Amino acid sequence: MIERLRVGAIVVLIAGGVFFTFVSTTGVLRLPDVYTRAHTASQADTLGAGFALAAVALAFGWQPTTVITVLLLFFIFITNPTAAHAVARAAYESGVEPWREDEP
Amino acid sequence: MSAGDSYTESQVIMSTVKIVTPFVLTYGLFITFHGADAPGGGFQGGAVIGVVVLMLAFAFGIEPTREWLDNRVVTGLIAGGVLAFGAIGLASMLLGGAFLQYELLPIHHPSRYGIEGIEILGIAAIVSGTVIGLFFATAAGFTADAFAPSDERIETQRDDRPRTGRTEGEE
């Protein structure tokens, strides 16, 4: 029973990871300017990698490797949004105009 | 506006870098020291160690980092790595063997610690120094007239020092 729950949770987490990575990729390809792309790349990618790593941690079970996976999850949650912040801020400082619907 | 001027302070980036930097440096050393008997090695570890300095430069400004980490340190890192590699390689030749024949070295577990010495003292130092040096060279910026014929370049008042746009006004 508990084993079946674990496998189900792993499948759901991996499905979530694939979904958010797909959304992130679509957003980077389809969205119009650097701000929206940085937004989708970081937000959806953090969740995509986060769900995938959570599934990996569950699949490993109680092992020393799981600690490393959780640490990796922690660092992705810290660094990925910061990277997006840095990209968007650098774009704003160097004068990139945000995309507007009525202009182009 | 030169590349050195574009720094603006960001509390978010500075806080994140402050938290992450010790872990990244530890991780880089971990990869480096595992070169002989596990996945990892001098190239990857050296690149991660070099990236620590890049992160500090992104968070706290390139010019302060350049002043903090003197150019001689970076050059010394690369040159010292080459010297260490050559010294370990030639030591076994002096003892009557081939280049990098670790078995002849008069140390404990010679082939293992010989490779570790090459990885840590040689390759990791060279790679991290090269990453840092190339980053500073790129951050100094280049202008299109750097590639122009030499007689045109004289008029554009260009010196060989790295760009110190911000610090010139303050001093």
Side-chain angles (χ1 to χ4, degrees), chain B:
Chain B
M1 195 167 88
S2 78
D5 294 329
S6 59
Y7 172 69
T8 47
E9 212 173 72
S10 164
Q11 192 63 51
V12 177
I13 301 174
M14 286 198 297
S15 310
T16 308
V17 168
K18 271 180 198 163
I19 295 170
V20 166
T21 301
F23 291 99
V24 177
L25 186 57
T26 313
Y27 183 57
L29 293 171
F30 174 83
I31 298 176
T32 308
F33 279 73
H34 269 251
D37 54 354
F43 283 101
Q44 299 94 318
V48 174
I49 294 170
V51 161
V52 168
V53 177
L54 267 66
M55 278 194 337
L56 289 173
F58 283 141
F60 301 101
I62 292 166
E63 290 311 321
T65 313
R66 199 199 295 280
E67 282 160 26
W68 168 67
L69 192 70
D70 197 86
N71 225 355
R72 280 171 294 185
V73 177
V74 180
T75 320
L77 210 57
I78 303 172
V82 175
L83 276 180
F85 196 118
I88 295 174
L90 292 174
S92 61
M93 285 182 89
L94 286 179
L95 293 169
F99 189 67
L100 289 178
Q101 191 176 357
Y102 302 117
E103 295 83 32
L104 300 174
L105 296 176
I107 51 173
H108 194 57
H109 286 311
S111 71
R112 180 179 170 158
Y113 288 108
I115 296 175
E116 291 280 8
I118 290 282
E119 293 271 1
I120 297 162
L121 300 174
I123 295 170
I126 297 170
V127 172
S128 58
T130 308
V131 166
I132 298 166
L134 280 180
F135 170 71
F136 281 149
T138 314
F142 69 91
T143 44
D145 56 37
F147 297 104
S150 57
D151 52 327
E152 291 176 26
R153 212 194 300 177
I154 297 167
E155 298 166 14
T156 54
Q157 194 190 359
R158 188 172 168 278
D159 55 6
D160 288 323
R161 286 181 298 124
R163 290 287 165 81
T164 54
R166 262 159 20 90
T167 49
E168 271 171 19
E170 289 164 11
E171 280 167 4

Side-chain angles (χ1 to χ4, degrees), chain A residues 12-25 40-56 73 76-77 80:
Chain A
V12 168
L13 284 171
I14 285 183
V18 169
F19 172 74
F20 279 107
T21 310
F22 180 73
V23 168
S24 166
T25 313
T40 187
S42 74
Q43 206 178 34
D45 213 23
T46 309
L47 282 175
F51 276 133
L53 278 174
V56 168
L73 190 60
I76 281 183
F77 270 127
N80 218 342

Side-chain angles (χ1 to χ4, degrees), chain A residues 1-89:
Chain A
M1 180 61 199
I2 196 87
E3 187 60 27
R4 186 171 289 181
L5 260 179
R6 196 172 73 111
V7 172
I10 291 172
V11 169
V12 168
L13 284 171
I14 285 183
V18 169
F19 172 74
F20 279 107
T21 310
F22 180 73
V23 168
S24 166
T25 313
T26 315
V28 169
L29 290 176
R30 297 288 298 158
L31 284 174
D33 73 340
V34 63
Y35 299 106
T36 48
R37 283 178 183 177
H39 154 82
T40 187
S42 74
Q43 206 178 34
D45 213 23
T46 309
L47 282 175
F51 276 133
L53 278 174
V56 168
L58 263 184
F60 273 136
W62 293 110
Q63 274 189 52
T65 325
T66 314
V67 180
I68 298 175
T69 314
V70 173
L71 267 179
L72 197 56
L73 190 60
F74 173 70
F75 283 118
I76 281 183
F77 270 127
I78 293 184
T79 52
N80 218 342
T82 310
H85 168 85
V87 168
R89 195 186 171 92

